[in-house]
Each structure stands twice: as structure tokens, then as C-alpha cells.
């Protein structure tokens, strides 16, 4: 069983920056594609960003492209999401997830392990 623990969420103002992190207990962390998803109140969970095993390939939702950056440090078993120019519509619980697959990064059905989430609130 792989545990994922998110941290770094909080309350910020519009146009601020925030970095959330996700630490994994997996000894084979580098074998997983890692993704970030979010769920706003009253809405379905949606894909935000994903990164392949080596960190050399990334995918972003159109709504965050150019503002968010996903990265990973396989030596630290950690994946990050740097969020810049935050907007009130970015307010959500942010979840990290791990997948065995090397494709379909934006399909949450391919992710087998999930963290508990961290709240990000952006005020206007």
C-alpha cells in the first residue's frame, strides 16, 4: 500500500503564489506517474497536471496551463505543484495521485493511490 500525503495548502489572495507538495511512502516512487487533481465545492473532481516517471514529460489542464508547474524529486519521493497567479476559481481541495500507467495522464481512473487532499482557498 502506498501512502500519499499532501501539504502546503492554505488561504491566499488572488494573483498570489503557492506550492503544494505530496510525499510518498513508496520505495519505488520513480515507477509511478504522478498527478494532481482538484475538487471544488459542488463540482466533480478534475484533472490539473501530471508528470511522467522521469519528470521529463508533463501534461496540464487548459485552465492552469502557463500558471501551474508540476515537478518531482524522485530522491525525495515527492511531487510538487507550483501555482502562480492564483484565481478565486482555483479554490478547491487538491489531491495527488499515483498511477502505474505511462499514458492517459488526465484520466483519474488510471490512478490507484490517492492522498487525503489539501485545501487551497484563493480570495478575491
Amino acid at each position: 500500500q502506498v501512502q500519499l500525503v499532501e501539504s502546503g495548502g492554505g488561504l491566499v489572495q488572488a494573483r498570489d503564489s503557492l506550492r503544494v507538495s505530496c510525499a510518498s511512502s513508496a520505495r519505488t516512487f520513480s515507477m509511478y506517474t504522478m498527478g494532481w487533481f482538484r475538487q471544488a465545492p459542488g463540482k466533480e473532481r478534475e484533472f490539473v497536471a501530471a508528470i511522467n516517471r522521469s519528470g521529463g514529460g508533463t501534461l496540464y489542464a487548459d485552465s492552469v496551463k502557463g500558471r501551474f508547474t508540476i515537478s518531482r524529486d524522485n530522491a525525495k519521493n515527492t511531487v510538487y505543484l507550483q501555482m502562480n497567479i492564483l484565481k478565486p476559481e482555483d479554490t478547491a481541495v487538491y489531491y495527488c495521485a499515483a498511477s502505474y500507467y505511462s499514458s492517459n495522464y488526465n484520466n483519474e481512473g488510471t490512478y490507484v493511490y490517492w492522498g487525503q487532499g489539501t485545501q487551497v482557498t484563493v480570495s478575491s
Side-chain angles (χ1 to χ4, degrees):
Q1 183 73 14
V2 172
Q3 289 187 327
L4 301 173
V5 180
E6 300 95 336
S7 62
L11 172 63
V12 297
Q13 294 186 332
R15 300 195 64 79
D16 279 353
S17 296
L18 192 66
R19 188 178 79 162
V20 291
S21 303
C22 172
S24 169
S25 66
R27 288 182 291 179
T28 55
F29 177 74
S30 62
M31 294 180 64
Y32 294 95
T33 293
M34 298 300 297
W36 285 98
F37 292 78
R38 67 186 181 186
Q39 187 167 23
K43 296 187 177 181
E44 293 186 352
R45 189 161 56 189
E46 65 175 1
F47 170 76
V48 176
I51 189 166
N52 69 358
R53 297 163 182 169
S54 68
T58 57
L59 181 68
Y60 296 93
D62 288 343
S63 59
V64 306
K65 200 172 296 182
R67 299 188 298 121
F68 289 13
T69 302
I70 188 172
S71 61
R72 67 189 297 163
D73 185 338
N74 286 341
K76 295 182 178 179
N77 287 6
T78 302
V79 61
Y80 306 96
L81 185 67
Q82 176 68 43
M83 303 181 287
N84 298 329
I85 317 176
L86 282 160
K87 304 176 181 180
E89 51 264 44
D90 294 318
T91 295
V93 177
Y94 283 72
Y95 298 91
C96 73
S99 169
Y100 293 119
Y101 294 90
S102 58
S103 61
N104 296 324
Y105 294 170
N106 58 349
N107 182 351
E108 71 171 78
T110 66
Y111 291 83
V112 292
Y113 300 112
W114 292 82
Q116 83 289 346
T118 186
Q119 176 71 47
V120 173
T121 302
V122 184
S123 67
S124 57

